[in-house]
Amino acid sequence: MFAAIEWRRFEAVCEAMFAQAGFATRSQSHGADGGVDIWLHSANAQGPVAVVQCKHWNGKAVTVKEIREFFGVMASHQLKRGTYATTSTYTADAQKFAKDNGINALDGAALLSLIAKRTPKQQQALLDVAHEGEYWRPTCASCGVKLVERAPAKGGAGFWGCSNYPRCKTRMQMAAAA
């Protein structure tokens, strides 16, 4: 399940799925991505043919606001095709807007269904990508380094913090233990 891997591993799995489908892919490991996590290229076209935005969200549905923003990114690059992939779900308004505007909205269940249709060798390759390195430890979106466990100076719940602190102040709440 996608909950066991961190956001960067989820993006890497999505990129590997598109590569298995025959696209040349290009991604950015960290920093501002301008609303594009993966650029898709085809041998039959010059420049990108589509873009992908990945959201590793647990328990929070993607709303029409996020899909509209993604549509704006597609338009700014003169692209008519895009995929929004999430580990979560979509609101009804988000699904309708995506369908009406050429956006392939893949939720967690749809992604797992696509993986299930791959050959056993392809499935294993995706699993290997998902479990590469410290797949469970979050990555800093700003620096691209793994976050470290931190304890608040004044007590309270632990959190993930950037190892480049104080230069980078990225923090992330730790998921509750299952």
Side-chain angles (χ1 to χ4, degrees):
M1 193 74 168
F2 295 120
I5 62 173
E6 56 103 19
W7 70 269
R8 183 62 194 110
R9 292 289 87 217
F10 174 66
E11 287 182 6
V13 167
C14 290
E15 185 173 5
M17 285 178 56
F18 283 103
Q20 286 179 349
F23 289 99
T25 63
R26 184 172 56 87
S27 65
Q28 186 170 312
S29 66
H30 65 280
D33 61 21
V36 176
D37 291 317
I38 306 166
W39 296 89
L40 301 180
H41 297 265
S42 169
N44 304 323
Q46 200 168 5
V49 295
V51 289
V52 182
Q53 177 66 18
C54 304
K55 287 291 181 212
H56 187 274
W57 285 356
N58 294 318
K60 177 183 174 190
V62 175
T63 69
V64 71
K65 175 185 177 282
E66 288 88 21
I67 301 298
R68 279 192 184 116
E69 288 171 359
F70 182 62
F71 183 66
V73 169
M74 289 169 49
S76 73
H77 295 287
Q78 290 96 37
L79 295 170
K80 301 211 180 301
R81 294 173 47 201
T83 296
Y84 203 103
T86 182
T87 55
S88 185
T89 59
Y90 294 92
T91 64
D93 286 348
Q95 288 174 328
K96 181 176 180 352
F97 187 88
K99 184 178 180 187
D100 291 347
N101 290 284
I103 298 170
N104 183 17
L106 295 172
D107 63 12
L111 287 164
L112 290 173
S113 178
L114 283 176
I115 292 170
K117 293 176 183 169
R118 303 291 166 115
T119 67
K121 185 176 179 180
Q122 288 174 319
Q123 289 177 18
Q124 185 60 54
L126 294 172
L127 189 61
D128 291 346
V129 168
H131 288 161
E132 185 178 298
E134 290 181 291
Y135 62 89
W136 50 270
R137 183 186 298 271
T139 301
C140 178
S142 299
C143 302
V145 299
K146 290 294 186 177
L147 300 181
V148 295
E149 289 186 50
R150 303 263 192 218
K154 297 179 181 176
F159 61 92
W160 294 108
C162 187
S163 58
N164 288 327
Y165 180 84
R167 189 175 36 141
C168 177
K169 294 180 175 41
T170 295
R171 294 172 59 124
M172 184 181 292
Q173 182 180 349
M174 286 187 169

